[in-house]
Amino acid sequence: MSNKPGLNLADLAPMSENVTISESIVPVYGISAKDGLKIFERFPKILGMMSGEGFNLGAFLTVAPDAVAAIIATATGFPGDERAEAAAGDLGLETQFDILEAIGRLTFTRGFAPFAERIMALANAANSASFSKVPDMKSPVELRPSSPPDTPQA
């Protein structure tokens, strides 16, 4: 354990935001990398909707309603829960949009485009690095003796 002042990583709580639905308040959390990967595995088509040019939430809502329900259920504390996903899928479009906006703010704190740019820069750096290349191995240069070779005596 560190003696340095400040919070320990284990002391950090996920950021949350309360979203009002009718007269109720629902706490919403950002999506972690672990939960995000599970959603991408279930709904691989949504990966194609994300690019460095931005994310079209309106198109996403119309193309991927089951993914929207899964994301909302995950961000409200019920990842993979069929009942929670069904309830999220039954919410009105504007309510879903309100929750998704909160999820976006909490998941991509600097915005989605800067996040995508950072991911692309990291991927480009990894692709250009020579992690998998074996360094060139040249034979050592043959050294010449500093004195003439011994000549056999007759």
Side-chain angles (χ1 to χ4, degrees):
M1 183 163 254
S2 173
N3 293 333
K4 294 181 182 179
L7 288 175
N8 181 306
L9 186 58
D11 296 332
L12 297 175
M15 294 188 326
S16 67
E17 184 176 318
N18 290 330
V19 175
T20 303
I21 301 175
S22 298
E23 296 178 14
S24 300
I25 294 176
V26 176
V28 175
Y29 302 89
I31 303 288
S32 69
K34 181 175 148 183
D35 286 333
L37 181 59
K38 288 178 185 176
I39 291 169
F40 288 140
E41 287 173 343
R42 285 181 60 196
F43 306 98
K45 288 184 180 180
I46 63 174
L47 273 176
M49 301 183 77
M50 299 182 181
S51 72
E53 297 172 9
F55 178 72
N56 185 327
L57 186 57
F60 178 72
L61 287 170
T62 59
V63 172
D66 291 336
V68 168
I71 291 167
I72 291 172
T74 298
T76 55
F78 299 95
D81 185 299
E82 290 179 19
R83 287 183 51 211
E85 288 183 19
D90 289 340
L91 294 172
L93 184 60
E94 186 172 3
T95 301
Q96 288 180 332
F97 196 84
D98 291 342
I99 295 171
L100 287 171
E101 284 179 325
I103 294 167
R105 285 190 295 274
L106 296 164
T107 303
F108 307 107
T109 57
R110 297 179 193 161
F112 180 75
F115 174 79
E117 289 170 8
R118 292 169 63 198
I119 291 294
M120 293 307 295
L122 183 61
N124 289 336
N127 287 334
S128 67
S130 59
F131 294 122
S132 62
K133 294 181 182 175
V134 176
D136 290 337
M137 301 296 260
K138 295 183 179 179
S139 299
V141 176
E142 187 177 321
L143 299 175
R144 297 182 182 176
S146 58
S147 59
D150 291 338
T151 52
Q153 305 240 337

